[in-house]
Amino acid sequence: MLCVVYKSPRKEGTYLYVERRDDFSPVPAALMTTFGKPQLVTVINLAKREHLALVDIHKLRAALSEQGFYLQLPPPPENLLAQHKASIQTEKG
């Protein structure tokens, strides 16, 4: 199973996986509008992969089979202030 990966020019760290190059027909129009003009990143042969860096490959395969696309969002930003406050509380404790 091949999939094609595109990145969003509008949303840093956001990637769209589809089954065929330049075929965005399964992707909702509202999502495509928000995503912006897709920029090709790579083509991946999922049959030869057991895992990917930031994506659960089983969820990716399921989404491609069921809905024809997979949207990867960036991880939430770290809240360094909250982490610092928690470490201070631990030190005082």
Side-chain angles (χ1 to χ4, degrees):
M1 170 188 253
L2 292 178
C3 81
V4 188
V5 183
Y6 294 87
K7 70 178 182 176
S8 171
R10 294 186 182 164
K11 306 276 185 180
E12 187 174 336
T14 302
Y15 295 88
L16 184 62
Y17 296 71
V18 293
E19 294 180 289
R20 288 179 280 298
R21 186 174 182 158
D22 298 330
D23 180 7
F24 304 104
S25 58
V27 184
L31 174 56
M32 289 304 299
T33 300
T34 304
F35 191 82
K37 184 177 181 185
Q39 299 174 343
L40 179 64
V41 175
T42 191
V43 177
I44 301 172
N45 186 347
L46 296 178
K48 296 183 178 185
R49 298 287 187 114
E50 292 184 22
H51 64 279
L52 295 172
L54 297 175
V55 177
D56 180 331
I57 197 161
H58 302 293
K59 288 182 181 178
L60 172 60
R61 286 179 180 146
L64 288 174
S65 295
E66 294 168 14
Q67 59 189 22
F69 73 95
Y70 177 82
L71 181 65
Q72 176 187 333
L73 299 172
E78 291 184 69
N79 188 337
L80 298 177
L81 179 59
Q83 290 176 8
H84 178 67
K85 287 179 179 179
S87 70
I88 290 173
Q89 291 297 327
T90 303
E91 292 172 7
K92 288 181 181 180

